[in-house]
Amino acid sequence: MTDDAAAARAAAEEKSAFSHAPVDPDATAAYGDHPDQVIDFFAPRRAGGPGPAPVVFVLHGGAWRAPYDRRHISPFAGFLARRGFAVASAEYRRGGDDDPVAGRWPDTFDDVAAALDALPALVREVMPQADPRRTVLTGHSAGGHLALWGAARHVLPAGSPWRGGSPATLRGVVALAPIADLAIADKLDVCGGAARQLLGGDENFAERQPFADPALLLPTGIATTLVQGRADLDVPHAVAESYAEAAAKAGEMVGVTLLEDVGHFPLIDPAADACAVVVEEIAQLAW
């Protein structure tokens, strides 16, 4: 496929993913005082398996930048709810509204840690039909990075404010086209240098990387699957493969599902076959 054809296909995939009307949640609850510190909850629309519904905790992508919020992933959240999952879709602080910088240090990480800590109690309050003891983390792109990072908080360096105990209730992680290895993403200039911006620029990247890069936070001891399109022009599959290689070197097997002729956005597009593959990967861990 020529470069022009690949770019045209990627544009069509993105257009399809963003063509769905946002899906309103059944409830929204705050996990902090900042306006961005909220979680949308989508109740399961049918029984997906035996017992109470497992929880899928969703972290949206968008290169950690302000213009992209959780509304764009709400059709995917609704898709999961229609297949029997209880869904919690978290918002978090991203880059400033008036500049194109990716992420806020330390706010973005503060928020994901706080949301994860608050999740079990909020689920019991808002969705009593769900079982927070069976939670799968998922996230797309930058959100995939945050999902992997959130699952690895128990192996953060000593002294990190985000370090937590091993998440015994976590059934696994399904990271979708994740920015899983910040060093490789930086070398490939993924999303216009977003990985370096997330950590505060050149002067902070190396110092902060051990606290923020999932590829350095291994092994986690948690079942992890990466789902990635081979034709992804936004986050090339080399990033996911580098994470899987780092995991193997650390003695941990990470599943990598590579989808042929699939780009970046079909993974969260309810109209795409790739989205059904994602749901199946989540279901294998959840039930």
Side-chain angles (χ1 to χ4, degrees), residues 219 246-253:
K249 289 178 182 177
E252 188 162 78
M253 294 301 297

Side-chain angles (χ1 to χ4, degrees), residues 259-281:
L259 304 179
E260 297 291 341
D261 301 321
V262 170
H264 192 62
F265 288 100
L267 303 178
I268 59 166
D269 181 357
D273 291 341
C275 197
V277 175
V278 168
V279 172
E280 181 57 31
E281 294 287 359

Side-chain angles (χ1 to χ4, degrees), residues 141-271:
S141 194
H145 158 268
L146 294 173
L148 293 169
W149 177 85
R153 288 171 58 206
H154 58 294
V155 294
L156 280 167
S160 168
W162 306 306
R163 186 179 171 99
S166 180
T169 62
L170 189 60
R171 299 295 295 267
V173 183
V174 179
L176 314 176
I179 306 179
D181 184 320
L182 296 185
I184 297 299
D186 183 55
K187 289 179 182 178
L188 296 176
D189 196 34
V190 168
C191 299
R196 187 161 292 260
Q197 293 171 21
L198 174 70
L199 302 194
D202 294 346
E203 65 274 18
N204 297 305
F205 186 80
E207 178 184 356
R208 292 174 176 174
Q209 191 184 354
F211 298 88
D213 191 340
L216 301 181
L217 300 172
L218 292 161
T220 66
I222 295 169
T224 300
T225 297
L226 314 183
V227 184
Q228 175 78 47
R230 283 192 182 274
D232 193 329
L233 301 181
D234 294 275
V235 183
H237 59 81
V239 179
E241 290 172 338
S242 180
Y243 176 87
E245 290 170 5
K249 289 178 182 177
E252 188 162 78
M253 294 301 297
V254 167
V256 180
T257 299
L258 289 173
L259 304 179
E260 297 291 341
D261 301 321
V262 170
H264 192 62
F265 288 100
L267 303 178
I268 59 166
D269 181 357

